Structures are given as C-alpha cells and as structure tokens.
Amino acid sequence: MYQPLMGVVCTNLYMTLAYMVEENRLWSEEWNHYHLMGLLDLNLDDIYHARLKLEGMGLLKTFVKEAEGHRIYIYELQPPLSAEQFFTDGMLNIYLYQKLGQTHFLKLKRAFSDMSINKEEYSEVTRSFQDVYTSMSIQALKNFEGQQHSSSDPDMRYIHREKTETIQISADSFNFDLLLSGLTTAMVPRKAFTATVKDTITKLSFLYSINEMDMQKVVLSSMTADDKIDLDELRKAARDWYQMENDDQLPQLVNRKQPVMYRESDGAGVSKESKLIFYLESTSPRQLLIDLSEGAQPAMSDLTAVEEIMLGQQLEPGVINVLIHYVMLKTDMKLSKNYMEKIASHWARKKVKTVKAAMELAKNEHRQYQTWANEKNERTQKRKTPIRTEKLPDWFIMQEQEQPDAQSKTPAVENDKDFEERRRKLEAIQRKYRKDGGEKGGKH
C-alpha cells in the first residue's frame, strides 16, 4: 500500500533496515552509512531523500547526536498502518486511489479484506480463566522474588509491538479561530469540534487545499440532526467541493510548496531578489499560475504539463516555479512543455534542489537555453517576421546589469502593445518585489 506512494527505493530502505535487526531483537549492530550504501547500491543523497519520505509517511523516526567529531544516528522503524487504518485514513487512501486507479485500488483492497461473518446468529460459549483454572495459594501469589525478577532491568525493555500512529498534519497549518468566526454556536456548537473532528478537518484542508472560509460550508453540510459533525459526511463534502472546483479531478501526491529543508529565505530580506525567492519558495506552482492569471484557474493542459514534469524529473516545487517564471518570459507567455522538459531534465541531472540554485543555473546556461528556444522558434515561427527576442526575468537581469559585457548582448524588446498586454500579468508578480526599502514585514 505504501510503495506506490513512496517509490521502490523507500520500500527497499525500510525492508533493509528491518532485515538488519536480528530476529527477536530490538536493535541491530552499529553500522556506518557506507555499508548501507553498498547493500542498497545507492549514493548517500538518495538514501537521505528516501529517509525523509519514510519519515513523512510515519514509518521512520530519526535521532542524532554528536560524538567525538562525528555523528551517530538512530533509525527507529515505525509499524505501518493496518489495512483498515490505511483505507479509512482519509488522506493516504485518496492518494493511493489516484495513483493506482479504480481497478487496481479495488484489487488491492480485496487482497487485504475477507468475508465478514455475522456473529449475532451465534451464542458465545467461551470459558473464562477462572472457569478453567483454579487459583493459586495466597503464599504463591505473594512470591516477592517472582515479582522482583519479572521487572525489566534499568537499561533494558521488553520486546513488544509498538502502537501504530497515523500521519499527523500540523495544526498550525489551519486557523480554527478564523473557521469558528464564521460559524455561530447556533449553527455549530463548539462541543462538536472534538479532537478527532479537528484532526480530520486539518487533514482535509491539507489534502484538498480548502481554506478556512470554504471549510465553513463543508462543515455546515456535514452536520447531523443532533448537532454533531458526521466524519463520513465531512469527508464526502470536502471531496465534492474539491471535485467541483477542479473538474472532477482528485488531488495528486505532489508537494504543493517548497519543502522547508530546501528553503533559503525567511521573508525578512528587503531586496527585490530575496523577496522574489521567498515568494517562489512559499507558493505552489498551481498558485503561481493562478496569480499570473489574477485569480483565474489555470488551463488543465498547463497543470498537467507542470505536474508531469514535476513527477517525471523529480524537481522540487520551488524549482518548478523558477522554471515557469523563466519559460513564460522566453516563450511569449506560453508554457511550452517540450521546452520546459528540456530545461527540467538538465536541472534534474544537475540535482538542483533550491530556488536560488535554479536561478543561478538559468543565468549560467542562458546561451544554451536560448539556443534551444531559437531551435523551437525556427520550427514554429519560420515564416514570421520580425523575429522577436524575448525579455528575461528580473532576477536574471539583476546579475546581467552587474556584467556590462553580458548586458550588451541582450537585445531590446520591440514595442508591441499586444505582446506587452500578455506580459503584464507576469510582470505584476515581479513588481511586488521591486521596492528595495521601507516594506519590511509585508504580506507575501
């Protein structure tokens, strides 16, 4: 159930770590990462990213300490969810369904379920302990040595099965005060928001990208006659809302925003470049396309192209944002999938993970990318004159202005009103970050 979501590398890492622990033991011997690299035939970077995915799925906990100039890690495996927990999780099961499709999803579901027997037609005749066994003497029950030796040693613990924990979405990602501000106690009593209900709302908000205002409608539609929130109805209402907003499409398992570990800006910088980096790191590719259209939903073909490149080239969302930003200004405000894919493939080979690294690579490889763009223009615009030279993003020009020789090689854009109108929406995003001073702590 987990492998389609994480990939085979993560599954192999999990099973290898489990294999390294001897039977009936809690801990394995101490090994170095070089040994793990040899077992898996992977480099350390691949193992690191597989580890992060296992942690995100709740299958691994990692601990580290510094000792004599080197680090020692503890990788503590966590038990996977049971089939019932997984298929009723409300988030993982939706991701799995979207990944596998209906036919294979139902086949997998049948593999983990069996026929239910109605026990109501039977009478239980099981004997209790006292019905079968006689009690020991009072003296035997008071045996102090037996009790003493049964206690575990201070530095030891009994082998047992750990309790499975479901994936937790941070409550900080959803503002319940804002949700409740639009729901009077007459509409929804506050006691209806139990810990389980709040956890479900947080998960649904993350899964379907539902904000607090839209969640109010979802909650209201799930109320029962006795003023309680029906969890099944809540999930159904959230799913219906998403499909209505997204042409009956279910969400994909992709990171919506740049992972925290790959962010390099906290939004405190006042320069236009640092503000733009923060925006690209804290915005999803889908939201970037919406912002470029001033709130209009992006074309499904554009979303599909971006998603396929994200998944196919394994690029982070922030890096994809830089790619969108660069390509749209180079191709007459159009998302050319072939052109994007060519650059994305190059960035994937270079193992680009951060927004800043993507910007730097685009600057350094601009001539090569220009050649690729010209090859496309020669094929699709062979009979059009004059040939327009596209504008570059602000973050590109920032560096070009510091290099007079390079700047002199950047041709000017023709005065074309239609072209400028198409460009206006994208440049509106950049203008938000052009004020170098006096705007600290602004909204992003």
Side-chain angles (χ1 to χ4, degrees):
M1 293 182 290
Y2 284 92
Q3 183 168 303
L5 305 183
M6 303 184 304
V8 68
V9 174
C10 296
T11 308
N12 285 345
L13 176 58
Y14 185 91
M15 299 305 295
T16 300
L17 292 174
Y19 173 78
M20 292 172 73
V21 181
E22 295 181 8
E23 189 176 358
N24 295 326
R25 295 294 90 200
L26 287 175
W27 302 97
S28 71
E29 296 181 33
E30 186 173 310
W31 300 94
N32 56 40
H33 282 92
Y34 182 79
H35 177 72
L36 195 59
M37 291 163 62
L39 285 177
L40 294 168
D41 192 25
L42 295 172
N43 60 45
L44 193 57
D45 189 56
D46 291 335
I47 292 176
Y48 172 71
H49 286 99
R51 190 198 94 191
L52 294 182
K53 290 182 179 180
L54 287 174
E55 291 172 359
M57 281 290 178
L59 295 175
L60 185 70
K61 289 183 179 180
T62 304
F63 306 86
V64 63
K65 76 171 182 177
E66 300 285 344
E68 299 178 358
H70 63 278
R71 293 177 180 177
I72 299 177
Y73 288 86
I74 292 177
Y75 295 135
E76 187 177 89
L77 296 175
Q78 304 300 304
L81 298 176
S82 67
E84 182 178 8
Q85 288 174 314
F86 194 100
F87 283 105
T88 59
D89 179 73
M91 184 169 66
L92 293 180
N93 54 326
I94 300 299
Y95 287 146
L96 185 64
Y97 182 90
Q98 184 65 17
K99 190 75 174 180
L100 297 180
Q102 179 177 323
T103 301
H104 292 290
F105 179 85
L106 294 178
K107 185 176 181 181
L108 186 62
K109 180 182 174 182
R110 286 194 297 270
F112 284 94
S113 56
D114 204 348
M115 181 180 62
S116 176
I117 297 177
N118 184 10
K119 296 180 182 179
E120 298 297 328
E121 301 174 356
Y122 296 80
S123 299
E124 185 174 2
V125 293
T126 308
R127 298 291 190 271
S128 64
F129 180 86
Q130 60 268 29
D131 290 337
V132 180
Y133 300 97
T134 58
S135 177
M136 294 188 295
S137 65
I138 300 297
Q139 290 300 117
L141 292 174
K142 289 183 177 180
N143 189 313
F144 178 75
E145 288 188 0
Q147 297 286 358
Q148 185 181 35
H149 290 301
S150 296
S151 301
S152 61
D153 296 335
D155 56 345
M156 304 287 283
R157 64 183 176 123
Y158 284 115
I159 296 173
H160 66 283
R161 180 177 293 275
E162 295 286 349
K163 182 180 178 182
T164 302
E165 296 182 4
T166 58
I167 292 179
Q168 299 295 322
I169 303 298
S170 173
D172 297 336
S173 62
F174 189 85
N175 189 339
F176 276 96
D177 290 335
L178 181 57
L179 171 69
L180 297 176
S181 67
L183 298 172
T184 65
T185 54
M187 293 178 178
V188 186
R190 296 301 181 256
K191 64 180 181 180
F193 290 95
T194 63
T196 303
V197 168
K198 284 188 172 183
D199 180 62
T200 303
I201 289 175
T202 304
K203 278 187 176 181
L204 292 174
S205 171
F206 172 81
L207 175 64
Y208 295 113
S209 299
I210 307 176
N211 61 35
E212 290 79 1
M213 305 305 292
D214 289 325
M215 185 62 77
Q216 293 172 2
K217 305 169 190 174
V218 173
V219 170
L220 285 174
S221 64
S222 65
M223 294 298 297
T224 63
D226 55 351
D227 289 335
K228 292 182 179 179
I229 297 175
D230 187 301
L231 293 182
D232 289 335
E233 288 298 321
L234 185 68
R235 295 188 185 98
K236 182 179 181 299
R239 184 170 62 252
D240 291 344
W241 177 91
Y242 184 91
Q243 291 179 301
M244 186 180 300
E245 292 288 323
N246 296 275
D247 299 326
D248 290 332
Q249 296 295 313
L250 290 176
Q252 299 285 341
L253 183 57
V254 293
N255 292 316
R256 285 171 173 78
K257 296 179 183 178
Q258 182 78 346
V260 176
M261 58 188 170
Y262 294 128
R263 296 188 188 185
E264 299 176 315
S265 175
D266 58 3
V270 296
S271 71
K272 57 185 177 182
E273 184 170 5
S274 64
K275 287 182 178 181
L276 181 59
I277 289 175
F278 177 75
Y279 171 76
L280 296 176
E281 287 179 340
S282 57
T283 304
S284 69
R286 180 173 177 270
Q287 186 60 47
L288 175 61
L289 292 173
I290 292 174
D291 290 346
L292 297 178
S293 305
E294 296 182 346
Q297 291 296 321
M300 186 57 65
S301 58
D302 288 346
L303 286 176
T304 302
V306 170
E307 183 180 74
E308 287 179 0
I309 291 171
M310 263 184 93
L311 297 178
Q313 302 299 332
Q314 295 294 303
L315 293 178
E316 301 296 342
V319 176
I320 288 290
N321 284 340
V322 178
L323 183 62
I324 293 172
H325 201 249
Y326 180 81
V327 169
M328 288 191 78
L329 284 173
K330 294 286 293 174
T331 56
D332 196 10
M333 295 301 293
K334 299 173 185 175
L335 277 182
S336 170
K337 183 182 177 183
N338 291 338
Y339 187 41
M340 285 182 68
E341 206 158 29
K342 204 163 188 178
I343 297 176
S345 176
H346 182 224
W347 290 4
R349 290 194 299 271
K350 289 285 189 177
K351 300 187 181 298
V352 176
K353 300 293 183 183
T354 66
V355 167
K356 194 170 183 179
M359 287 180 170
E360 291 298 324
L361 189 56
K363 295 170 187 176
N364 296 336
E365 299 292 336
H366 170 58
R367 290 188 178 181
Q368 178 62 61
Y369 298 163
Q370 183 66 51
T371 301
W372 295 343
N374 290 340
E375 290 174 356
K376 178 180 180 297
N377 287 335
E378 290 173 3
R379 291 193 301 268
T380 60
Q381 300 178 352
K382 190 173 182 179
R383 291 174 294 179
K384 292 184 179 180
T385 58
I387 298 175
R388 182 183 292 114
T389 302
E390 306 298 349
K391 188 177 178 180
L392 294 172
D394 269 9
W395 50 264
F396 193 106
I397 297 173
M398 289 170 201
Q399 177 167 308
E400 294 294 304
Q401 290 173 344
E402 298 172 2
Q403 300 174 359
D405 293 338
Q407 186 182 10
S408 64
K409 297 177 184 178
T410 305
V413 181
E414 294 184 357
N415 184 17
D416 186 330
K417 291 183 180 181
D418 293 336
F419 181 73
E420 290 303 322
E421 177 61 22
R422 291 192 298 269
R423 189 187 306 284
R424 180 182 60 81
K425 293 177 182 178
L426 182 57
E427 291 181 336
I429 295 294
Q430 296 184 158
R431 283 198 297 272
K432 293 167 60 178
Y433 305 98
R434 286 180 179 165
K435 296 180 181 179
D436 291 339
E439 290 191 0
K440 295 182 180 179
K443 292 183 179 180
H444 302 281

